[in-house]
Amino acid sequence: MSGTIKVLLAEDQSMVREALAALLGLEDDIEVVAQVARGDEVLAAARAHDVDVALLDIEMPGATGIEAAAQLHKELPGLKLVVLTTFGRPGYLRSAMEAGADAFLVKDAPAAQLAEAVRKVLAGERVIDPTLAAAALAGGANPLTDREREVLRAAADGSTNAELAVALHLSQGTVRNYLSTAIQKLAVRNRAEAVRIAREKGWL
């Protein structure tokens, strides 16, 4: 590998993306060789530019940064993954690590800290924002199963059980059972509160 670390930057807000690229570009040993605004464009860009490290924002259209990280981890296992978030939700950290992320940082961290994280993950280290790590430990594990999360995510737009059943290829009774179980696990009164709590925790 050459002395320059080739970085892919995935961030849907153009001003933030350009600012991050400019700040990283000031580092002698780091070059941002590709930028994308959608999660579903990450894999193709990573392949096309033979990058060493991917910086992935969580909230993106097409696919989340965590979904993109999981795809990259599977398809390009040698690539190092840094997940960035505006929201310090404890569930996000756990999901990012499960997806194969090597680092998890908040977006407003100093540029020097981000650059150092890029170097550390390339050297085989794992970098986690200490405040987020503490919050994740305090927040506990996600109690929802994958299917309960899927049904809650689909219910977030206010769809009826009948509409959810069609969309998810399930019976209405099954949908109702998944929602009921999720509501019980989260100790709330209805599906809207379940969606809100699960989002706040970073579990959806």
Side-chain angles (χ1 to χ4, degrees), residues 108-193:
D108 58 4
Q113 188 177 328
L114 180 56
E116 194 57 30
V118 167
R119 297 184 188 104
K120 283 182 175 179
V121 297
L122 205 58
E125 296 182 46
R126 179 164 277 187
V127 183
I128 299 172
D129 181 281
T131 306
L132 294 178
L137 288 172
N142 182 356
L144 302 172
T145 66
D146 288 344
R147 201 40 104 92
E148 286 161 3
R149 288 164 60 198
E150 180 186 18
V151 174
L152 265 188
R153 270 198 299 264
D157 64 359
S159 295
T160 65
N161 285 357
E163 290 166 338
L164 292 172
V166 171
L168 299 173
H169 307 291
L170 298 170
S171 72
Q172 288 189 51
T174 301
V175 167
R176 191 163 49 246
N177 289 341
Y178 280 128
L179 288 172
S180 177
T181 304
I183 288 166
Q184 286 177 356
K185 285 181 177 179
L186 298 177
V188 293
R189 291 172 298 179
N190 54 51
R191 69 169 73 181
E193 287 185 12

Side-chain angles (χ1 to χ4, degrees), residues 49-77:
H49 296 275
D50 191 25
V51 297
D52 303 306
V53 179
L55 299 181
L56 308 167
D57 178 38
I58 287 186
E59 303 282 346
M60 288 188 290
T64 68
I66 290 171
E67 290 166 342
Q71 188 179 34
L72 290 172
H73 185 62
K74 179 183 177 184
E75 301 290 336
L76 301 170

Side-chain angles (χ1 to χ4, degrees), residues 80-101:
K80 298 299 182 180
L81 307 171
V82 177
V83 174
L84 302 172
T85 180
T86 306
F87 311 103
R89 294 172 181 163
Y92 280 167
L93 171 56
R94 193 178 296 269
S95 297
M97 293 298 114
E98 289 172 354

